[in-house]
């Protein structure tokens, strides 16, 4: 996967070590060895890596391996963690909570910025609505509003918004058209055997097809 991503010009690779799962009985991630693997792959192919940090006690370990810290949707309002990553000298990706308004989202970003770290990247990853045919509802209006209201980069996570690979292409195009600065996309060489979120992982050919569409549009 690393080779395929690098070939398409991907600069920042996700490498999860701690996977927040709804059920405690599902795969939770490999921990530090995963960070070592992600670092090796990123170095081999000249990419940066980001990984989700769960707790401020993990900061020293994360600083050793990752280029960009990332706070997930479930921790968006964990003010202790937000303040702690606000004291770190690396960029921080902040995902919108599934039930958070844009105002709450930006207050969370303020926790990081006001603690001393101006390098925050916002991610819209879908919000919880009554709709069930998508995992979450991509708030594309929210992306446009964030682009108006802040100077921070905004990225769209089409994988967790949709929860399904078959609508990745239209969501990627719509994200691009809305002015988003980037995409977060899960890619797997063989999705059926993925340890988590198998239904939303793109195969490498699907990822390439999506990139072709975006490049054409851009
Ligand atoms: C993820 O990106 O793998 C993830 C767990 O997403 P979220 O925090 O948006 O639920
Ligand atoms: Mn996931």
């Amino acid at each position: 996967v690393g080779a395929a991503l690098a070939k398409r010009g991907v600069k920042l690779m996700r490498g999860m070590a701690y996977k927040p799962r709804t059920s405690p009985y599902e795969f939770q991630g490999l921990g530090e060895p995963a960070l070592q693997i992600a670092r090796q792959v990123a170095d081999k192919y000249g990419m940066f890596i980001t990984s989700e940090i769960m707790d401020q006690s993990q900061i020293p370990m994360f600083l050793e391996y990752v280029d960009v810290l990332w706070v997930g949707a479930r921790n968006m309002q964990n003010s202790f963690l937000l303040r702690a990553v606000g004291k770190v000298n690396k960029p921080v990706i902040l995902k919108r909570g599934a039930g958070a308004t844009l105002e709450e989202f930006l207050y969370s970003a303020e926790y990081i910025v006001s603690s001393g770290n101006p390098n925050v990247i916002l991610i819209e990853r879908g919000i919880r609505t009554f709709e069930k045919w998508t995992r979450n509802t991509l708030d594309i209006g929210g992306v446009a509003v964030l682009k108006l209201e802040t100077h921070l980069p905004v990225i769209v996570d089409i994988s967790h918004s949709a929860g399904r690979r078959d609508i990745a292409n239209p969501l990627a195009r719509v994200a691009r058209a809305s002015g988003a600065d980037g995409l977060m996309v899960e890619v797997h060489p063989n999705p059926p055997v993925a340890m988590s979120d198998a239904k939303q992982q793109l195969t490498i050919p699907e990822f390439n097809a999506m990139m072709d569409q975006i490049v054409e549009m851009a």
Side-chain angles (χ1 to χ4, degrees), residues 79-158:
S79 56
F80 280 78
L81 179 60
L82 297 175
R83 282 210 175 98
V85 297
K87 296 193 174 68
V88 161
N89 193 17
K90 287 195 174 172
V92 177
I93 289 175
L94 178 65
K95 295 189 89 171
R96 181 181 183 181
T101 65
L102 294 171
E103 188 176 19
E104 289 162 345
F105 189 21
L106 289 184
Y107 273 129
S108 292
E110 287 282 330
Y111 265 101
I112 302 173
V113 174
S114 67
S115 301
N117 188 346
N119 298 315
V120 178
I121 300 163
L122 303 171
I123 299 206
E124 158 62 24
R125 45 77 78 205
I127 52 176
R128 179 157 292 188
T129 68
F130 53 81
E131 182 50 60
K132 291 197 171 130
W133 288 4
T134 46
R135 178 175 179 175
N136 293 285
T137 297
L138 174 58
D139 182 8
I140 206 70
V143 173
V145 171
L146 290 172
K147 288 301 297 177
L148 275 183
E149 297 291 332
T150 92
H151 64 286
L152 299 173
V154 181
I155 286 179
V156 176
D157 175 352
I158 57 168

Side-chain angles (χ1 to χ4, degrees), residues 13 15 30-44 49 65:
M13 186 183 73
L30 296 175
E32 188 168 0
L35 294 177
Q36 290 164 346
I37 296 167
R39 183 74 264 164
Q40 278 170 16
V41 174
D43 288 345
K44 181 165 176 194
I49 55 166
Y65 299 108

Side-chain angles (χ1 to χ4, degrees), residues 14 16 18-21 52 54 70-76 95-98 123-126 135-136 157 159-161 184 186 196-197 200-201:
R14 287 171 47 114
M16 301 287 282
Y18 300 95
K19 196 76 190 85
R21 306 305 300 278
E52 178 167 353
M54 308 302 293
W70 142 27
V71 175
R74 288 157 194 78
N75 267 318
M76 188 206 85
K95 295 189 89 171
R96 181 181 183 181
I123 299 206
E124 158 62 24
R125 45 77 78 205
R135 178 175 179 175
N136 293 285
D157 175 352
S159 299
H160 292 83
S161 296
M184 180 181 264
E186 292 188 328
S196 95
D197 296 346
Q200 69 195 34
Q201 314 276 339

